[in-house]
Amino acid sequence: MPTDGRLLGNLSVLVSVVETGNFARAADALGLSPSGVSRAVGRLEAKLGVRLLHRTTRSVTLTAEGERLYAQVGPLLAGIEDAALSAAGDAHAVRGRLRVSVDPMFSSQVLAPRIATFLARHPQLELEIVSRDELGDLISEGIDVAVRFGEPQSSSLIGRKLLDTRVLTVASPAYLAVHGRPAKPAELVRHACLQFRDPVTRRPFAWEFHRQGKVVTVDTQGPLTLTDSATMYALCIAGAGVAQVLALIVRDALDDGRLVELFPGWAEETFPLYAYYPSRRNAPPRVRAFVDFCVELATAAA
């Protein structure tokens, strides 16, 4: 099949539809009419002989054939864009559209208070932040880079460890005033402990305490099990129970007294923070800039 300008243009339209989520936003991004976008996708489907998109009145999603095509074409088109910028002497410019998927707690507690600094550094950048717990399929969803806590689960992505942050056991002064402060981890069996469900195993995380190579596991109980770390954080501050949290996330709350660390001598367990991006030989400058900014924030907050 010969590659012509129209085919390349239609492929670019498809990628824009996927990344923006519908025909209207793609039309705005490309400077076309929604009907023009629809016709371009239709021409591409006719040329390939397959249906690429499921269309509804509210959204569009990729078919299986569309997902395979997008997974192959998306990185190639991004590479063409980078090559064009390089040819124009702009290889190091941080510009264009960047879509990032970020852990909700990192997003709200670390990134959000400082994101204005990042945008001020790169005024030609358009940033979209998707906050969610699951990593998902970065390629099919048009995600340029993702930031998540925990060890990598997928070998199809490039993962860069940003840091290791300690696991702390905390409670609010209000909770401790009513229930007393436990002197050692074993005493937590008599306390209301907020359980957090691991999004990978779907089971609550075990409560472990690490000191000088020794690991103690405590069978904690509590009336609340959470799947949202932001809710658990808010409940802990409100006095609903004891929680195990990440030092990177709660540093401000510890500093201003909203939370109290219970067992500083048993807090040697660490949890990693990773940045992920699709396998590409050279990540574009906007991706590198965002990852470097996350490293900067994480290092400062650790």
Side-chain angles (χ1 to χ4, degrees):
M1 178 187 301
T3 301
D4 54 33
R6 174 168 287 192
L7 175 61
L8 186 60
N10 293 340
L11 287 168
S12 297
V13 171
L14 174 69
V15 169
S16 184
V17 170
V18 174
E19 292 183 347
T20 59
N22 62 44
F23 284 73
R25 286 195 291 268
D28 287 341
L30 296 171
L32 301 173
S33 66
S35 60
V37 170
S38 181
R39 285 195 299 271
V41 173
R43 285 194 299 268
L44 183 60
E45 290 177 324
K47 189 173 186 68
L48 300 179
V50 295
R51 189 173 183 83
L52 301 173
L53 294 173
H54 295 300
R55 300 163 173 83
T56 69
T57 56
R58 294 186 177 181
S59 65
V60 292
T61 56
L62 287 166
T63 64
E65 294 80 7
E67 288 181 357
R68 287 195 295 270
L69 178 65
Y70 179 76
Q72 294 177 308
V73 168
L76 295 176
L77 290 178
I80 292 173
E81 179 184 355
D82 294 341
L85 292 174
S86 178
D90 205 17
H92 302 292
V94 178
R95 60 187 297 179
R97 183 172 177 273
L98 179 65
R99 194 164 191 252
V100 301
S101 174
V102 187
D103 172 87
M105 282 300 290
F106 182 82
S107 179
S108 63
Q109 300 301 314
V110 181
L111 184 60
R114 302 163 181 87
I115 197 63
T117 300
F118 179 67
L119 294 176
R121 290 179 188 174
H122 309 293
Q124 293 180 294
L125 186 67
E126 179 186 346
L127 179 64
E128 179 181 351
I129 300 175
V130 178
S131 296
R132 66 183 183 198
D133 290 308
E134 295 80 12
L135 185 60
D137 187 335
L138 304 192
I139 295 176
S140 66
E141 297 174 25
I143 300 295
D144 296 299
V145 59
V147 178
R148 287 292 182 283
F149 289 104
E151 292 296 341
Q153 300 294 321
S154 172
S155 60
S156 64
L157 301 172
I158 299 297
R160 175 182 172 184
K161 182 184 281 190
L162 305 184
L163 87 163
D164 287 305
T165 184
R166 291 186 304 132
V167 178
L168 308 182
T169 306
V170 300
S172 71
Y175 175 88
L176 297 177
V178 174
H179 302 280
R181 178 169 180 165
K184 54 186 178 180
E187 293 181 7
L188 287 176
V189 296
R190 297 192 295 272
H191 284 264
C193 294
L194 304 177
Q195 307 297 319
F196 188 74
R197 195 178 301 280
D198 186 335
V200 176
T201 67
R202 303 300 176 184
R203 297 189 297 272
F205 280 103
W207 286 56
E208 294 183 355
F209 301 86
H210 295 225
R211 182 171 67 182
Q212 299 178 352
K214 181 180 180 180
V215 179
V216 172
T217 301
V218 177
D219 185 17
T220 61
Q221 304 293 325
L224 289 169
T225 299
L226 293 309
T227 61
D228 172 46
S229 53
T231 301
M232 184 179 73
Y233 177 74
L235 285 169
C236 188
I237 288 178
V242 181
Q244 285 202 317
V245 294
L246 301 177
L248 177 65
I249 299 301
V250 300
R251 180 57 55 205
D252 289 344
L254 291 173
D255 289 344
D256 63 24
R258 286 176 293 160
L259 290 175
V260 176
E261 184 180 358
L262 298 182
F263 313 113
W266 285 93
E268 296 179 5
E269 180 185 6
T270 61
F271 209 61
L273 179 69
Y274 275 85
Y276 300 94
Y277 45 93
S279 296
R280 290 183 53 197
R281 183 171 298 176
N282 295 307
R286 56 185 176 272
V287 169
R288 294 197 301 270
F290 182 78
V291 171
D292 289 345
F293 185 68
C294 287
V295 171
E296 178 184 326
L297 294 183
T299 302

